Amino acid sequence: MKRQTPRLHCFATTIELYEATAQAFGEAAHAAIATRGRFTVALAGGSTPRALYERLAQPPYRDAVNWRGTEIFFGDERCVPPDHADSNARMARAALLDHIIIPPDHIHRMRGEDEAHRAAHAYVRELRQVFGREHPPCFDLILLGIGANGHTASLFPGTGALRERRRSVCAQYVEVQQQWRLTLTYPTLNAARAVWVLAKGTDKAEAVQHALEGPHEPEVWPIQGVTPQGSYLWWLDEAAAARLNGIN
Ligand code: 6PG
């Protein structure tokens, strides 16, 4: 996988970061629905995107985005029940999905409560409901975070999921997390029309610098395996960008 240099948007504060990202999300949704009649988006998990989802759940975005034309998927999920504190779906519901008017069948949760491989197969079928036989599915937008160890979605260093080139979704036991995970794979991430990576805080500065300016070694820094065909943006606050040498 050849390296792809993303366009960086860097903001002095997290408030500015989330406001700008929410604005861009609304614009992306509007453009997708105007062009193709729907907006397909995969949400990131973890803690970073929560404030973005909360911002989208408030005016003007709550009322400006055509949620009825939006299909919401997840980039990954921990293999836990949907009411578990670790569940990405639970976080997204609390921050956004319970606060917008969206048809329930437009929310496509990964079934973390089921046996992991069965849940991965089920999610492939869930994707087919919306994307048909398109393989890999071409999302309008995939949101991602980055871990301090350079993982993204549930693509962790040294795991077999990094080498998956056929399936669009896979199950992976993650030793460092002592947990089974479900994740979209590189073929799906890289088929998207747009991929946005969100990172904030000093604890991500080293990973951001390594990912964007370090040697290209996706097995060690899995975020480097994200080389989307479409637009590729990173949304950062100054703390997360602090160790970058060349902000474009
Ligand atoms: C997950 C996420 C994961 C996340 C990073 C960063 O399920 O954990 O999908 O890839 O984006 O771990 O997490 P934070 O935003 O909590 O730092």
Side-chain angles (χ1 to χ4, degrees), residues 26 37 44 62 75 114 119 160 224:
R62 181 195 62 196
D114 292 346
Q224 291 183 331

Side-chain angles (χ1 to χ4, degrees), residues 187-206:
T188 306
L189 301 185
N190 291 333
R193 292 187 180 89
V195 174
W196 297 354
V197 174
L198 281 71
K200 70 168 176 71
T202 48
D203 63 324
K204 297 295 173 71
E206 184 187 358

Side-chain angles (χ1 to χ4, degrees), residues 44-49 76-78 88 144-147 151-154 156 181 203-204:
S47 59
T48 301
D76 75 318
E77 185 57 278
R78 295 81 179 273
N88 287 334
L144 295 173
I146 177 173
H151 81 263
T152 192
S154 282
F156 282 78
R181 294 282 191 101
D203 63 324
K204 297 295 173 71

Side-chain angles (χ1 to χ4, degrees), residues 18-96:
Y18 289 120
E19 189 63 33
T21 315
Q23 174 71 29
F25 184 100
E27 289 164 2
H30 178 77
I33 293 168
T35 313
R36 286 176 293 279
R38 71 184 186 191
F39 176 48
T40 55
V41 57
L43 300 182
S47 59
T48 301
R50 183 180 187 115
L52 168 63
Y53 302 159
E54 289 168 343
R55 187 65 193 90
L56 290 169
Q58 298 156 1
Y61 309 108
R62 181 195 62 196
D63 311 317
V65 173
N66 175 355
W67 299 108
R68 291 182 187 284
T70 300
E71 298 281 355
I72 293 191
F73 291 84
F74 290 82
D76 75 318
E77 185 57 278
R78 295 81 179 273
C79 290
V80 295
D83 58 354
H84 190 285
D86 284 356
S87 165
N88 287 334
R90 181 177 185 264
M91 180 275 282
R93 274 206 176 283
L96 174 60

Side-chain angles (χ1 to χ4, degrees), residues 159-211:
T159 60
L162 300 182
R163 290 183 291 284
E164 180 57 57
R165 294 291 180 272
R166 190 174 47 81
R167 292 175 295 172
S168 49
V169 187
C170 73
Q172 172 69 55
Y173 184 75
V174 180
E175 197 66 45
V176 289
Q177 305 283 340
Q178 298 280 298
Q179 200 174 50
W180 277 94
R181 294 282 191 101
L182 300 166
T183 188
L184 298 183
T185 56
Y186 282 134
T188 306
L189 301 185
N190 291 333
R193 292 187 180 89
V195 174
W196 297 354
V197 174
L198 281 71
K200 70 168 176 71
T202 48
D203 63 324
K204 297 295 173 71
E206 184 187 358
V208 167
Q209 193 273 331
H210 225 288

Side-chain angles (χ1 to χ4, degrees), residues 212-228:
L212 297 178
E213 297 177 344
H216 189 61
E217 37 192 8
E219 276 286 324
V220 181
W221 296 88
I223 188 88
Q224 291 183 331
V226 177
T227 56

